[in-house]
Amino acid sequence: MHIKDLGKIEFDEAYGIQKETVQGRIDKIFVDTLYLAEHEPVVTLGRLAKPNSVLDENALTRNSIRILNTDRGGQATYHGPGQLVLYPIIDMEIFGKDLRRYLTFLERFALRFLLKYNMNGMRKDGNRGVWVNGKKICSIGIGVRRWVSYHGVSINIDMDLKPFSYIKVCGEQHAEVTSVAAETGEPADFRIAKVFAKYSFLECYEDLKYE
Amino acid sequence: MDIKIPVLAEGIEEVIITLWHVKEGQSVSKDSDVVEVATDKATFNIPSPADGVISNILHTEGDTVKVGEKIAEVI
């Protein structure tokens, strides 16, 4: 697996890189690839977003937070500095071409990542993502083309959580959100978070060979 | 040839059509994206099963359709 840190990058630019990589993966020019990224403030609307997914458009404008439509699954989410975003471009043959197995894999990765901080994440029945103490810390939304994945996972590391209140997070009216820093009560180093994320992802990915 | 909703995962029985990439009468090549569907936090692009022309689109964006159901033809 190839892992590349895109650093701080606009959402649209990272999306363009993903689409090119998806085509390269379909054409078997590239191996499975994991991109790590951090975005400038942006609200993205998935394909199943509703007219009321944005609760306070004025607040978004006031804070220079753009709203973008995207082709991922799910509804609305927020990305901003201090949130780690992972974009796995993976040939889903290794998940038996089963979307649910892949989504469950992404949750397993997030749970393993949180364990590095001695945090116990939880899943919720009927709702994708990972929660800590009842608050959402990780959101998931993917796209698939020719059984190659794009879009992915975001995990709140150490960030301003206020912008989440301007939207219905994944369709939930009063979804409480949290971050690694908020739960541990101390600042969380973003570089260390990226190292933890790389290792956690590789561990889960390697595990697939033995399932 | 019929374009049908493929099996996307164990337990997923229906999907929502979110975007038609093509119109009736449009030429398509095998494996090019025809329609995007959504389910369970995922979107999935269904490719054309053959070279040809799209005809007989049976559902519009926003429709819920069952796995295995025919949604269009490529002739």
Side-chain angles (χ1 to χ4, degrees), chain A residues 82-112:
Chain A
Q83 180 194 64
L84 181 56
V85 186
L86 292 100
Y87 296 123
I89 314 295
I90 292 182
D91 183 340
M92 292 173 64
E93 185 78 47
I94 53 172
F95 300 99
K97 293 186 176 175
D98 186 305
L99 290 182
R100 284 191 166 165
R101 277 186 65 194
Y102 177 58
L103 290 163
T104 301
F105 164 86
L106 293 178
E107 288 172 339
R108 191 181 311 138
F109 148 73
L111 293 170
R112 196 179 285 217

Side-chain angles (χ1 to χ4, degrees), chain A:
Chain A
M1 159 164 276
H2 177 62
I3 300 181
K4 187 170 183 196
D5 184 357
L6 299 175
K8 215 166 203 178
I9 184 170
E10 290 286 354
F11 183 88
D12 332 46
E13 193 183 346
Y15 177 73
I17 293 170
Q18 288 180 71
K19 292 296 269 192
E20 283 174 20
T21 311
V22 167
Q23 189 58 54
R25 189 70 192 96
I26 289 167
D27 296 338
K28 303 200 184 299
I29 296 167
F30 298 144
V31 297
D32 287 342
T33 301
L34 173 67
Y35 290 118
L36 282 77
E38 182 183 19
H39 294 312
E40 296 298 338
V42 63
V43 164
T44 62
L45 303 177
R47 283 286 194 240
L48 298 183
K50 303 199 163 47
N52 64 358
S53 288
V54 173
L55 297 170
D56 191 344
E57 199 164 345
N58 290 337
L60 294 178
T61 308
R62 236 182 5 256
N63 291 283
S64 306
I65 302 172
R66 293 189 304 155
I67 304 172
L68 293 177
N69 288 305
T70 75
D71 60 357
R72 64 165 168 73
Q75 301 188 33
T77 197
Y78 167 75
H79 300 297
Q83 180 194 64
L84 181 56
V85 186
L86 292 100
Y87 296 123
I89 314 295
I90 292 182
D91 183 340
M92 292 173 64
E93 185 78 47
I94 53 172
F95 300 99
K97 293 186 176 175
D98 186 305
L99 290 182
R100 284 191 166 165
R101 277 186 65 194
Y102 177 58
L103 290 163
T104 301
F105 164 86
L106 293 178
E107 288 172 339
R108 191 181 311 138
F109 148 73
L111 293 170
R112 196 179 285 217
F113 170 82
L114 292 171
L115 277 177
K116 309 268 187 215
Y117 292 95
N118 290 320
M119 290 164 66
N120 281 314
M122 303 283 283
R123 290 180 168 112
K124 270 190 188 177
D125 279 348
N127 202 346
R128 291 290 180 179
V130 172
W131 286 256
V132 174
N133 294 324
K135 299 173 188 173
K136 197 166 197 186
I137 198 163
C138 159
S139 297
I140 293 174
I142 65 160
V144 181
R145 190 171 159 245
R146 304 271 309 278
W147 286 110
V148 173
S149 65
Y150 54 103
H151 292 295
V153 185
S154 58
I155 306 177
N156 305 332
I157 307 298
D158 193 343
M159 65 187 293
D160 178 13
L161 297 170
K162 179 73 180 159
F164 282 104
S165 68
Y166 306 147
I167 59 170
K168 261 185 166 181
V169 179
C170 297
E172 289 185 67
Q173 181 75 53
H174 299 295
E176 283 190 284
V177 291
T178 191
S179 65
V180 170
E183 292 302 313
T184 58
E186 50 192 55
D189 187 295
F190 203 70
R191 286 167 304 175
I192 292 173
K194 286 199 272 199
V195 172
F196 283 171
K198 283 183 207 175
Y199 281 114
S200 304
F201 198 92
L202 278 175
E203 284 164 14
C204 292
Y205 185 78
E206 291 301 313
D207 276 355
L208 291 171
K209 293 178 187 169
Y210 303 99
E211 276 185 0

Side-chain angles (χ1 to χ4, degrees), chain A residues 47 71 98-99 144-145, chain B residues 8 10 33 36 41 43 45:
Chain A
R47 283 286 194 240
D71 60 357
D98 186 305
L99 290 182
V144 181
R145 190 171 159 245
Chain B
L8 300 178
E10 197 177 324
D33 293 340
E36 178 199 84
K41 292 293 179 96
T43 57
N45 288 286

